[in-house]
Amino acid sequence: KINDRVRAQTGIGYGGSSDKAEWSPNHQATDTVKYKAGSRTNVFSIPATVQVDLFKAFGRIPLYGTVSAITAYGSTKSSMTETLHEVPSTAYTKDKGVNVFLMAGLGTNYKISKRFSGYTELFLFKRNLTGDNSFDYDWEAYSPWGRRLFKSLAFGVNYKL
């Protein structure tokens, strides 16, 4: 807590995903060529956030603006196997890198107990400052408005030291 209206916080995050798929051109067991692909991604992130109270609804519930800068280091391992006439050929790839994200939105927080508080946030602006790879994959910019809005919601609990 910087003052009665401004708060700053940081943290660490870890996430990941995996994916597997198998297919053939005609989707038949008799196809002479078949494919199998798989990937695993791990990401470690450090967010830095500033929240500024804009006003208090009903005299108690603050509506605040929030801005976050998030540095994320990720690595992905993947494989692709092509089986042609029962003879498999596999290629393995590794990729790693750092992305920096900037997000801004609105939120509200509420007291749960003396040390715990909950929050809800809606991010109206999201940008990957190091490239456009998040535009389609992470934020599904091609999706209908309702899905993009849903993927911009955040809920959580904070602990006060």
Side-chain angles (χ1 to χ4, degrees), residues 1 18-19 52 74 83 89 104 112 118 150 154:
K1 187 173 181 179
S18 61
D19 189 30
V52 178
T83 303
S89 174
I112 296 172
F150 172 75

Side-chain angles (χ1 to χ4, degrees), residues 28-34 81-89:
Q28 302 291 325
T30 57
D31 283 347
T32 58
V33 62
K34 297 178 183 174
T81 301
E82 178 185 63
T83 303
L84 180 60
H85 299 291
E86 304 292 326
V87 179
S89 174

Side-chain angles (χ1 to χ4, degrees), residues 56-75:
K56 293 193 177 191
F58 309 111
R60 304 179 12 180
I61 302 171
L63 177 67
Y64 60 83
T66 181
V67 175
S68 295
I70 304 163
T71 302
Y73 170 78
S75 65

Side-chain angles (χ1 to χ4, degrees), residues 5-160:
R5 295 189 64 208
V6 180
R7 294 171 301 284
Q9 65 185 29
T10 188
I12 57 172
Y14 173 79
S17 66
S18 61
D19 189 30
K20 291 183 180 181
E22 293 184 37
W23 71 96
S24 62
N26 298 312
H27 309 289
Q28 302 291 325
T30 57
D31 283 347
T32 58
V33 62
K34 297 178 183 174
Y35 299 95
K36 184 188 288 189
S39 68
R40 175 76 181 142
T41 300
N42 297 299
V43 178
F44 174 76
S45 66
I46 301 173
T49 301
V50 174
Q51 300 170 340
V52 178
D53 289 341
L54 303 172
F55 68 89
K56 293 193 177 191
F58 309 111
R60 304 179 12 180
I61 302 171
L63 177 67
Y64 60 83
T66 181
V67 175
S68 295
I70 304 163
T71 302
Y73 170 78
S75 65
T76 299
K77 294 179 181 180
S78 60
S79 66
M80 168 71 102
T81 301
E82 178 185 63
T83 303
L84 180 60
H85 299 291
E86 304 292 326
V87 179
S89 174
T90 303
Y92 298 94
T93 59
K94 292 181 184 180
D95 192 16
K96 59 184 174 180
V98 175
N99 284 295
V100 178
F101 302 94
L102 183 62
M103 300 182 354
L106 300 171
T108 186
N109 57 20
Y110 37 92
K111 187 176 182 177
I112 296 172
S113 69
K114 184 178 178 182
R115 296 220 178 254
F116 287 95
S117 65
Y119 67 89
T120 303
E121 295 176 336
L122 175 63
F123 292 98
L124 303 169
F125 174 82
K126 298 180 283 189
R127 179 81 50 176
N128 183 341
L129 300 178
T130 52
D132 290 331
N133 60 331
S134 296
F135 186 75
D136 289 325
Y137 299 112
D138 298 334
W139 298 324
E140 298 182 10
Y142 53 84
S143 295
W145 181 82
R147 181 165 174 83
R148 290 193 321 264
L149 187 66
F150 172 75
K151 291 193 73 131
S152 297
L153 281 173
F155 302 96
V157 176
N158 286 324
Y159 178 77
K160 184 178 180 182

